[in-house]
Amino acid sequence: MRLKNAKTSNPLSFRAPLTLSSLPFSTFFVSLLTISHLFFSMASDNLSSVSGAADDDNYGFRREEMYQSNLAGTVSAYDRHVFLCYKTPEAWPSHLESSDCDLLPKLLSAALKARKDDISLKTKLTMFSGRYETGFSDGDLLIFPDMIKYSGLKDSDVDGFVDDVLVNNKPWASGVPEVFTGSHVFVCVHASRDRRCGVCGPILVQKLDEEIELRGLKDQVYVSPCSHIGGHKYAGNLIIYQPGTDGKTTGHWYGYVTPEDLSELFEQHIAKGEVVERLLRGQMGTNPEEVQKEGEQKLPNGEDSKESKVEIKENGNQSKVETVASCCQGSNGFTCCRDESSGKSSSIEERSKEISNDEQVPTTASKFSCWTGKWEQSEILTAVAVVGAVATVAVAYSIYRRSG
């Protein structure tokens, strides 16, 4: 009797083997869900890691085509830029202005083309996404260089707006013009049009937000993701619109922009009104041939960009640019103080001017694209992982029932 009690109290004594049928169903089911969740998380992490590395090498800031084309003169001359706030970048199809699912952009684009001969100022049209930080919402229209905003454009208003504002250059009869201020940065993030801007653009938007927060420019500089602006092979692409001390608004297009270049753009262009020539593609109201001329580039602030505020260190075929840490009082009340030096390899190999089709996404759209959208490979694989996990639970439950 004493031996039996000893065996009973011994934690290492023999016990019946654990079977599926001996487990409570709730415990069994929770265990399967936990395993499925771990499986899903591991699959997602691995897919994201592999996809992220491939994107950076093939479409991101480390792709081979970076700095291989001359940027100067890659923007055609224009006099006015109209931005329509419309949905989010994830909802934009490849050719947003001709999509049957997006009537407002299609109608506005068609009206501009139809009245092209009647519009005295050469006008560009681009879509952008409203953000909480900027305060813009769907249907808002921003007009540069006028720095005028109209709100609430509807499908039925398009012809009246184009006729009043763009053709006759007078206030819109159905809207109230609002003057807006500040520097406005538009970053191309149109992933469905070209993967390069889809990879580079969102990163630049995030880093620009961080720079704005760091420099205390929340109410002075506004960043908006925008649709196709041309030259996707120059990604990251962005445009800066801002008024000078004389009140005249300019728009400068930059290409091959990386996160390491943003500090220089803030300190040199936004704060001081000096053009960053090595990244400059062109500007509003300027003939492309003029951009290629050597000499001084000036903004309305009247400051030269010829005397660069950066130190250049030659290293083989590339130049390492180190921004000198400083505190500067810039134009328009901007102050840019930052104790940081950043380097970025940036060399533009001079080649003959190329005109090529930079679109990498097929233009033929499926009839189902209005509701299905475009799935990335990583999303498809993740979905397969989820289905596999659910199937595992179903099979395990079936075995459980049989063993009972």
Side-chain angles (χ1 to χ4, degrees), residues 235-290:
N237 282 304
L238 60 83
I239 310 172
I240 301 177
Y241 284 102
Q242 71 177 38
T245 54
D246 61 355
K248 181 181 178 182
T249 298
T250 59
H252 287 78
W253 298 51
Y254 288 107
Y256 290 145
V257 179
T258 70
E260 289 77 13
D261 297 317
L262 297 181
S263 178
E264 184 180 0
L265 285 173
F266 268 91
E267 294 174 3
Q268 186 167 325
H269 186 126
I270 294 177
K272 298 180 182 179
E274 299 176 356
V275 175
V276 181
E277 293 185 39
R278 64 187 179 83
L279 302 174
L280 184 64
R281 293 185 55 194
Q283 63 190 70
M284 179 173 58
T286 301
N287 194 305
E289 285 74 17
E290 295 179 6

Side-chain angles (χ1 to χ4, degrees), residues 58-344:
N58 298 325
Y59 307 103
F61 303 110
R62 296 193 303 181
R63 63 187 190 278
E64 293 183 358
E65 68 181 0
M66 288 289 285
Y67 312 113
Q68 297 303 307
S69 296
N70 185 15
L71 293 172
T74 58
V75 177
S76 59
Y78 70 103
D79 306 300
R80 177 169 54 195
H81 205 155
V82 176
F83 286 85
L84 170 65
C85 188
Y86 185 79
K87 295 185 178 181
T88 63
E90 293 77 17
W92 295 341
S94 175
H95 289 73
L96 179 56
E97 296 83 0
S98 60
S99 170
D100 292 332
C101 304
D102 303 281
L103 191 56
L104 185 57
K106 182 178 181 179
L107 289 174
L108 184 54
S109 177
L112 282 172
K113 292 178 181 178
R115 304 299 300 275
K116 181 179 179 180
D117 294 337
D118 301 324
I119 299 175
S120 58
L121 300 176
K122 188 170 183 180
T123 303
K124 287 184 177 290
L125 173 64
T126 302
M127 312 304 154
F128 77 103
S129 178
R131 307 172 69 213
Y132 174 79
E133 294 84 352
T134 62
F136 300 127
S137 57
D138 283 4
D140 286 352
L141 290 155
L142 307 182
I143 305 175
F144 297 94
D146 307 75
M147 301 290 282
I148 294 294
K149 167 191 168 185
Y150 286 102
S151 301
L153 181 71
K154 298 180 177 60
D155 299 349
S156 58
D157 300 327
V158 169
D159 288 335
F161 168 77
V162 172
D163 187 65
D164 289 344
V165 179
L166 304 183
V167 174
N168 296 308
N169 298 310
K170 63 181 184 180
W172 183 26
S174 301
V176 178
E178 303 174 42
V179 177
F180 61 88
T181 59
S183 295
H184 294 262
V185 184
F186 295 92
V187 183
C188 183
V189 298
H190 203 161
S192 63
R193 187 68 176 265
D194 191 283
R195 186 72 173 271
R196 288 165 289 191
C197 276
V199 172
C200 298
I203 296 175
L204 292 179
V205 171
Q206 179 183 348
K207 295 299 182 181
L208 283 164
D209 286 340
E210 294 174 1
E211 287 285 343
I212 290 172
E213 183 70 23
L214 178 66
R215 298 169 186 275
L217 300 175
K218 187 175 181 180
D219 297 324
Q220 301 177 60
V221 182
Y222 304 90
V223 180
S224 299
C226 74
S227 64
H228 176 67
I229 58 175
H232 279 306
K233 66 180 179 180
Y234 307 121
N237 282 304
L238 60 83
I239 310 172
I240 301 177
Y241 284 102
Q242 71 177 38
T245 54
D246 61 355
K248 181 181 178 182
T249 298
T250 59
H252 287 78
W253 298 51
Y254 288 107
Y256 290 145
V257 179
T258 70
E260 289 77 13
D261 297 317
L262 297 181
S263 178
E264 184 180 0
L265 285 173
F266 268 91
E267 294 174 3
Q268 186 167 325
H269 186 126
I270 294 177
K272 298 180 182 179
E274 299 176 356
V275 175
V276 181
E277 293 185 39
R278 64 187 179 83
L279 302 174
L280 184 64
R281 293 185 55 194
Q283 63 190 70
M284 179 173 58
T286 301
N287 194 305
E289 285 74 17
E290 295 179 6
V291 179
Q292 298 182 33
K293 293 180 179 179
E294 296 182 358
E296 298 178 355
Q297 283 282 351
K298 293 186 177 182
L299 287 178
N301 303 5
E303 299 199 27
D304 297 344
S305 62
K306 188 175 181 180
E307 297 180 1
S308 178
K309 304 298 182 180
V310 297
E311 295 178 357
I312 310 285
K313 293 185 179 181
E314 295 298 333
N315 180 16
N317 293 327
Q318 293 184 330
S319 301
K320 183 177 181 182
V321 180
E322 298 183 353
T323 303
V324 180
S326 62
C327 188
C328 58
Q329 181 65 40
S331 62
N332 305 323
F334 292 117
T335 301
C336 55
C337 297
R338 182 171 181 172
D339 295 328
E340 180 179 341
S341 296
S342 61
K344 174 63 189 172

Side-chain angles (χ1 to χ4, degrees), residues 100-101 364-372:
D100 292 332
C101 304
T364 303
S366 168
K367 291 295 183 180
F368 300 102
S369 63
C370 296
W371 58 275
T372 57

Side-chain angles (χ1 to χ4, degrees), residues 25 28-29 32-33 36 386-402:
F25 176 72
F28 169 76
F29 188 69
L32 281 178
L33 286 179
S36 299
V386 174
V387 173
V390 173
T392 301
V393 173
V395 172
Y397 176 65
S398 176
I399 296 174
Y400 171 83
R401 296 288 293 175
R402 291 176 183 174

